[in-house]
Amino acid sequence: MIEDATAETPFVESRYRMTAATPTPESVERRTIEHIPIDERHGRARDLFTVWFGSNIMLLTIITGALATTVFGLPLWAGALSVVLGNVVGAVVMALHAAQGPQMGVPQMLQTRAQFGSYGSLLVVVLVVFMYLGFFASNAVLGGQALAKVTGLPTSWAIIVICAISVVATMVGYRLIHRVTAILSVVAGGALVVAFVWIIGVNGVPDGTWHTDGFSWAGFMATLSVAALWQIAYAPYVSDYTRYMPRDTGQRAAFWGTYSGCVLGSVLPMLLGVLVGAALPDDDTMEGLSTLTHGVSTGVFAIFAIGITATNAMNLYCGTLSTITVGQNIFPTWSPRAGSRAAVSVVLCIIALVPALVSADDFLANYANFLALLLCVLIPWTAVNLVDYYLLRHGHYDIDALFERDGGRYGRFNWVAIGCYFAGILVQIPFLSTTLFTGFVAEAIGHVDISWIVGLVVICPLYYVLMSPRMRSVDAADAVHGVESAA
């Protein structure tokens, strides 16, 4: 599926190519959702490794891994295996989206206009904004609690500090986020190693940590699904962090740089969570981590708290780009720049901050269900986008048409994509398993949620079969037009 497109132009060149001079490395990013000109491209594939490795080493990742041994009751070996498998599988979907960035040079959700039409894409983009806000709020709560533990600040004020730092990073933009995550790859990675060494080699763990009983297929598959969905949740914005890469980066390099960084950056902290949960299954995960790392816990929590600001900046940055995408769709003459990004990021931060402050104690538990349902509506988008890009259009898109209010050659609505999208939601419902709703199939198989697998397996071939005739018609029309132009 992954083919290098460096030897040919994978899209129609944009008229925005020379709209601005190359910015200096120290400058605030001026661009938002417009096409990144070829002469402004920079970076290497290894930069993608650090942006995803560093940003994933955070408390929310650790807590997600701990679900295996606390909520799902798996022994340590089974929890570790399911976490690894889930990340390895889910990251394939995520990294395939990342490979699109260097070729198209526009944010991920803007590309959605090519599949769903200029207006048809709005529903998906709005839902993605809510997902960004959910992750932002969740991380803000965790980061605030960690910062409060280290500094003694009230939790509410610590949450505000975390959010404020994230907003500033979003205002500065792409380059700063890449640089900070590169530093985090070393600093947070080192803190992770220290935590493992301190738990196992210095303080030790309770005797029951290494028990082998308690395995269940329901728990194993539930953990695998959670780990896979962790990766798939990144799909709507991984391309945002590859769109500045040179086109000759190649799709393979973009894929593997993103894939390796995100898998390693997620698996390692999740394994720490599995270990903490196995050692102290009845304790709160953060309290358990503090207990097991006694002696270095202050430093570990301080680094993880600071690291969350970078991860949250990524969530806020992409949520801002998606919000601007909606605004530019409604007001096509709007040319948003750095000031617009700053204003939108502040508004989004406030929207996410209010519920985080009001319900910090039980916010994470309540929002986890909401995020699970949001992921249900993202899976069909993933299927449509990947099939359209890799199997139907092979990376060839008219970038100018993406900025036209009527959608240009892509139209206002693509009813095939929209129909497949809603069919993808419906087909997943019987397989959903959350505390808010459990489908009859999920209930029959022990409350195992495999909805995301069903969604991908059904919608990928369905969209391909239904869209192929239209693509043949478009190709034929383009061929006739090309002959007429030549004549």
Side-chain angles (χ1 to χ4, degrees):
M1 181 178 286
I2 305 174
E3 298 176 355
D4 275 318
T6 55
E8 60 181 30
T9 303
F11 53 81
V12 178
E13 185 62 78
S14 170
R15 63 174 175 268
Y16 301 106
R17 184 179 186 278
M18 296 298 291
T19 57
T22 304
T24 61
E26 295 77 22
S27 66
V28 172
E29 181 188 4
R30 286 174 287 175
R31 296 194 177 277
T32 55
I33 64 171
E34 66 268 38
H35 174 254
I36 307 301
I38 302 303
D39 60 337
E40 292 186 22
R41 303 294 186 90
H42 61 273
R44 294 159 293 184
R46 69 184 185 188
D47 297 331
L48 300 178
F49 176 90
T50 55
V51 77
W52 292 109
F53 182 80
S55 64
N56 271 287
I57 301 176
M58 57 175 175
L59 292 171
L60 188 59
T61 324
I62 296 171
I63 288 176
T64 301
L67 295 176
T69 45
T70 54
V71 174
F72 302 127
L74 293 175
L76 193 149
W77 69 268
L81 180 60
S82 57
V83 158
V84 172
L85 289 177
N87 278 285
V88 166
V89 173
V92 172
V93 174
M94 175 273 300
L96 285 171
H97 288 285
Q100 300 171 18
Q103 308 307 315
M104 296 187 67
V106 294
Q108 188 74 64
M109 296 316 296
L110 184 72
Q111 301 173 25
T112 301
R113 294 177 180 176
Q115 291 97 41
F116 290 83
S118 59
Y119 287 107
S121 66
L122 288 178
L123 174 62
V124 180
V125 179
V126 169
L127 287 172
V128 165
V129 172
F130 277 103
M131 188 191 74
Y132 291 136
L133 294 179
F135 281 123
F136 182 89
S138 301
N139 280 322
V141 171
L142 285 175
Q145 290 173 346
L147 187 62
K149 183 184 291 290
V150 171
T151 63
L153 281 172
T155 300
S156 57
W157 281 106
I159 290 174
I160 292 172
V161 170
I162 294 293
C163 290
I165 296 173
S166 302
V167 169
V168 171
T170 302
M171 291 178 176
V172 177
Y174 181 93
R175 290 176 183 265
L176 178 62
I177 292 173
H178 265 272
R179 287 175 178 173
V180 171
T181 50
I183 295 171
L184 277 176
S185 293
V186 178
V187 178
L192 194 65
V193 171
V194 169
F196 272 114
V197 171
W198 219 258
I199 291 173
I200 299 174
V202 178
N203 289 336
V205 294
D207 294 336
T209 302
W210 311 106
H211 71 88
T212 58
D213 60 315
F215 174 83
S216 70
W217 281 109
F220 186 87
M221 289 303 299
T223 303
L224 189 148
S225 294
V226 166
L229 290 173
W230 177 270
Q231 296 291 339
I232 294 171
Y234 286 125
Y237 66 86
V238 281
S239 194
D240 295 2
Y241 293 100
T242 60
R243 75 190 199 280
Y244 276 92
M245 305 292 290
R247 281 202 358 232
D248 61 7
T249 299
Q251 293 184 96
R252 285 193 184 93
F255 175 91
W256 287 113
T258 303
Y259 181 88
S260 58
C262 211
V263 168
L264 285 175
S266 301
V267 165
L268 294 177
M270 282 190 188
L271 289 178
L272 179 60
V274 172
L275 176 60
V276 172
L280 301 171
D282 298 325
D283 289 8
D284 173 80
T285 302
M286 289 182 64
E287 289 299 326
L289 179 61
S290 178
T291 299
L292 294 172
T293 57
H294 178 70
V296 294
S297 59
T298 299
V300 168
F301 273 84
I303 291 172
F304 288 163
I306 294 171
I308 271 183
T309 61
T311 306
N312 251 8
M314 294 177 68
N315 288 319
L316 188 60
Y317 177 83
C318 297
T320 298
L321 294 185
S322 294
T323 303
I324 290 174
T325 297
V326 174
Q328 199 272 338
N329 205 324
I330 299 172
F331 306 102
T333 58
W334 181 34
S335 297
R337 290 293 185 267
S340 300
R341 187 177 65 248
V344 172
S345 66
V346 170
V347 172
L348 291 180
C349 177
I350 293 173
I351 293 173
L353 183 59
V354 171
L357 290 174
V358 170
S359 57
D361 292 337
D362 57 357
F363 179 78
L364 291 175
N366 293 333
Y367 216 87
N369 289 311
F370 184 45
L371 291 178
L373 295 176
L374 277 181
L375 287 171
C376 170
V377 301
L378 290 179
I379 289 296
W381 164 80
T382 281
V384 167
N385 177 272
L386 294 181
V387 170
D388 193 87
Y389 183 91
Y390 288 102
L391 300 182
L392 293 175
R393 303 185 197 270
H394 306 287
H396 293 263
Y397 290 87
D398 184 345
I399 301 301
D400 287 346
L402 298 179
F403 294 91
E404 296 176 11
R405 190 169 193 173
D406 63 359
R409 66 190 298 162
Y410 305 116
R412 290 183 172 87
F413 299 94
N414 178 3
W415 293 109
V416 172
I418 294 170
C420 287
Y421 177 77
F422 283 106
I425 295 175
L426 292 175
V427 78
Q428 289 181 82
I429 291 176
F431 299 87
L432 276 174
S433 179
T434 71
T435 56
L436 296 178
F437 172 81
T438 300
F440 68 91
V441 176
E443 189 171 355
I445 59 176
H447 294 264
V448 176
D449 189 332
I450 58 170
S451 58
W452 62 279
I453 300 175
V454 174
L456 289 174
V457 169
V458 171
I459 299 306
C460 284
L462 180 64
Y463 180 71
Y464 181 82
V465 169
L466 294 180
M467 195 64 187
S468 290
R470 176 178 292 192
M471 289 303 304
R472 286 194 290 269
S473 299
V474 171
D475 291 342
D478 287 346
V480 171
H481 179 73
V483 171
E484 292 174 349
S485 298

